[in-house]
Amino acid sequence: MNMPVETLVDPIAAHAQALIANLGEDPHRESLRDTPERYAKAMRFLTSGYESEPEDVVGSGIFSAEGEGVVLVRDVEFHSLCEHHLLPFFGRVHVAYLPGDRIIGLSKIPRLVDLYARRLQVQERITEQVADALMKLLQPRGVLVLAEARHLCMAMRGVEKQHSATATRALRGVYAHDAQARQEILSMIKEK
């Protein structure tokens, strides 16, 4: 029996279909038939961070500062794909900055995290990229970014450690050289 020839719209779908077949499955089986297109759509979403720059996601969300206190946005959830295995890693990012002359709309900080998380990544780079973007956009007196994540590339394969977590941090400005200022932010992050 001849199977109808499918036209896959997204080129990623053709690769997904070939992957399914090369793994020994029938890509034309009922429950797998639409998987290549679903996979392509998911990958386009999960890597949509390549389509924008920080200025695009922040837009007009930068304002004159009206105070000198620290700004902390805690527990920003993120999901990303490890660039080494294309497996997910996920966790939380805490972002603090000490304003100079400008502040950013609070919703823009999670948007910056998503921008970088929706790329093929390593956790260390996301942490640094968020810090660098805030320094460039705001020129604050300091930035501290702390990311905590679980990596499925460590849990599902390799060392197979399901409960391990990784923490990374990026320090800019006052937080890079003033231990007391840095400790104040780290204490605020721990407060719930």
Side-chain angles (χ1 to χ4, degrees):
M1 175 178 169
N2 289 335
M3 297 297 287
V5 176
E6 296 176 59
T7 303
L8 299 172
V9 177
D10 190 316
I12 291 175
H15 293 287
Q17 187 176 52
L19 177 67
I20 292 167
N22 282 298
L23 290 172
E25 266 291 353
D26 176 7
H28 301 290
R29 186 163 52 86
E30 181 182 13
S31 62
L32 288 174
R33 189 176 309 127
D34 296 329
T35 297
E37 289 293 343
R38 283 193 298 266
Y39 177 80
K41 185 176 178 181
M43 288 302 293
R44 294 289 181 194
F45 174 76
L46 295 172
T47 60
S48 61
Y50 292 117
E51 298 169 9
S52 300
E53 293 299 324
E55 296 80 6
D56 301 325
V57 299
V58 169
S60 61
I62 296 177
F63 311 97
S64 296
E66 296 182 20
E68 295 185 8
V70 68
V71 177
L72 170 62
V73 179
R74 264 194 312 236
D75 297 320
V76 177
E77 298 171 3
F78 78 95
H79 300 83
S80 192
L81 291 175
C82 164
E83 67 183 29
H84 301 130
H85 302 98
L86 301 184
L87 290 173
F89 65 98
F90 57 94
R92 301 173 302 162
V93 177
H94 314 287
V95 179
Y97 72 96
L98 192 58
D101 295 330
R102 297 184 282 190
I103 59 172
I104 191 169
L106 294 177
S107 70
K108 304 306 181 186
I109 291 175
R111 290 180 194 279
L112 282 173
V113 172
D114 285 345
L115 169 74
Y116 292 116
R118 290 185 183 145
R119 298 178 179 187
L120 301 180
Q121 274 290 12
V122 294
Q123 181 176 330
E124 299 88 337
R125 187 182 312 123
I126 292 174
T127 309
E128 298 290 331
Q129 287 175 322
V130 171
D132 289 340
L134 286 171
M135 289 299 289
K136 180 180 175 187
L137 292 165
L138 301 178
Q139 289 97 44
R141 292 179 285 160
V143 172
L144 184 148
V145 178
L146 174 63
E148 302 165 322
R150 295 187 182 271
H151 295 251
L152 293 188
C153 59
M154 285 180 57
M156 296 176 67
R157 51 153 309 281
V159 296
E160 296 183 45
K161 300 300 178 205
Q162 286 76 31
H163 302 290
S164 65
T166 302
T168 53
R169 73 178 181 188
L171 307 169
R172 303 289 185 271
V174 67
Y175 299 122
H177 55 77
D178 185 335
Q180 185 176 352
R182 184 171 54 247
Q183 189 55 48
E184 176 188 352
I185 297 306
L186 294 173
S187 294
M188 286 176 68
I189 289 170
K190 291 178 185 175
E191 293 172 6
K192 295 290 177 171

